[in-house]
Amino acid sequence: MNMSRQILVPLAAVAVFLLLWEWLVWINGWPNYKMASPSDLGPAFWEFKHLFLQYGWDTLWRTVLGLLLSVLVGVLLGMVMGLSRIARDALYPLLVGFNAIPKATVVPVIALLLVGLDDLNTVLIAFLISFFPIAVSVSIGLSTLEPEYRDILRALGASPTTIFLKIALPKTLPEFFGALKVAVTLAFIGTNLMEIVEPHGKGLGHLFDSGKINADYPLMFAVLIALAFLGILLFYIVVALERIFAGWAERE
C-alpha cells in the first residue's frame, strides 16, 4: 500500500500538472510558436528521438561525473571544516564568496581556460555548482556532534578514528543525503549552462539552443521535459540510496 502510494501520488501530480498546462495554452489560444503545449511534445520527441537519446546520454554522464566529483571533494572539505574550527573559520568565507558568484559568469572563463576540452569543462562546471551544499552539510553534521558522546567513548577507550566512524560519520548521513538531493539539480544546471552558453555540439543544452535558433518551441519544451525527467531519475536514485544507508533517520 505504501509503495503504491509513493508511485501513484507523484504520477497523479504530474498528470494534473500536464492537464493544467494544456488547459492554460488552450484557454489563451496560444499557437505553438509562442507557447508549446503537452500535446505538441510527443511529435517533437518522436521526430528527434535519436538526438534525444544521444544528447541525453551526453548530458547524463557528464552530470553524474560532475556530481560524483562534488561528493568526493564536498565530503573531504566538510570533514576538514567539521573537525577543525580553524579550518572552518578559514574556508567558510572562501566557499561562501565563491558560491555567491553567478555561475553563468564562470562558464566563459572555464571555457577559455580549457579550450577544446569540452567534456572536461562541462564536468568541471557541474562540479563547481554542486559541491557547496555537500561540504556545508557534512561540516555542520560533524561540528554539531554532542561532546558528551566523545567524552563517554574516550572514557571507554575508543580512539578518535573509532569515534569518527561509529558516531560522527553516521550522524552526518541524513544531512549529507539532504544536500545530495539539492546537488543533483544543481549539477544539471551547471551542465546545461556550459552546453548553452558555450555550445559544444553535445548535450541537451545544445539541442535546446538549436530549437531556440530555429524558433522550434515544441522542441525547446521537449528538451526541458527531458531534463526534468533525468533530474527526477537521479533524485529518486539518491532517495533509494538514502533509504539503504540512512533509513533509520526517516520519520513517518
Side-chain angles (χ1 to χ4, degrees):
M1 180 63 182
N2 189 43
M3 182 64 69
S4 299
R5 178 182 59 82
Q6 292 173 350
I7 295 174
L8 294 177
V9 171
L11 289 178
V14 170
V16 170
F17 169 76
L18 294 176
L19 288 173
L20 289 174
W21 179 5
E22 186 77 32
W23 175 81
L24 182 65
V25 175
W26 174 78
I27 199 69
N28 286 284
W30 288 330
N32 63 7
Y33 57 81
K34 183 177 181 180
M35 177 69 174
S37 64
S39 58
D40 296 321
L41 303 185
F45 277 120
W46 181 254
E47 181 180 358
F48 299 101
K49 55 183 180 296
H50 299 299
L51 293 179
F52 272 103
L53 290 174
Q54 177 186 342
Y55 291 156
W57 170 247
D58 289 334
T59 294
L60 182 61
W61 78 259
R62 294 190 290 188
T63 300
V64 170
L65 189 56
L67 185 63
L68 292 175
L69 187 60
S70 73
V71 169
L72 177 62
V73 175
V75 168
L76 290 176
L77 274 176
M79 288 171 58
V80 171
M81 292 189 296
L83 298 175
S84 170
R85 185 175 183 82
I86 295 176
R88 187 161 62 251
D89 292 340
L91 292 175
Y92 255 126
L94 296 175
L95 292 178
V96 172
F98 176 78
N99 198 60
I101 299 173
K103 296 306 178 284
T105 63
V106 178
V107 167
V109 176
I110 293 177
L112 287 173
L113 288 174
L114 302 172
V115 175
L117 302 175
D118 300 339
D119 292 333
L120 178 59
N121 56 30
T122 306
V123 170
L124 186 58
I125 196 66
F127 153 70
L128 289 175
I129 205 172
S130 61
F131 83 96
F132 179 76
I134 296 175
V136 171
S137 68
V138 173
S139 170
I140 292 174
L142 291 176
S143 63
T144 56
L145 179 64
E146 291 80 357
E148 292 82 5
Y149 289 153
R150 293 195 186 100
D151 295 339
I152 293 172
L153 289 171
R154 283 171 183 165
L156 294 174
S159 66
T161 302
T162 301
I163 295 173
F164 175 76
L165 293 176
K166 298 296 185 181
I167 300 296
L169 188 59
K171 182 182 181 298
T172 65
L173 286 179
E175 290 89 350
F176 166 74
F177 280 108
L180 189 56
K181 293 173 186 176
V182 176
V184 164
T185 58
L186 293 177
F188 270 107
I189 292 173
T191 302
N192 283 275
L193 270 176
M194 182 62 76
E195 291 171 350
I196 293 173
V197 176
E198 294 293 332
H200 300 145
K202 290 182 178 180
L204 290 175
H206 169 68
L207 189 58
F208 178 88
D209 209 38
S210 299
K212 182 181 69 175
I213 293 171
N214 294 288
D216 190 341
Y217 274 61
L219 175 59
M220 293 169 62
F221 278 91
V223 170
L224 296 180
I225 294 300
L227 287 170
F229 172 78
L230 292 178
I232 292 170
L233 177 64
L234 279 186
F235 177 85
Y236 277 105
I237 290 175
V238 172
V239 170
L241 292 174
E242 180 182 25
R243 289 180 178 173
I244 293 173
F245 295 105
W248 50 267
E250 184 177 355
R251 293 186 178 92
E252 291 295 334

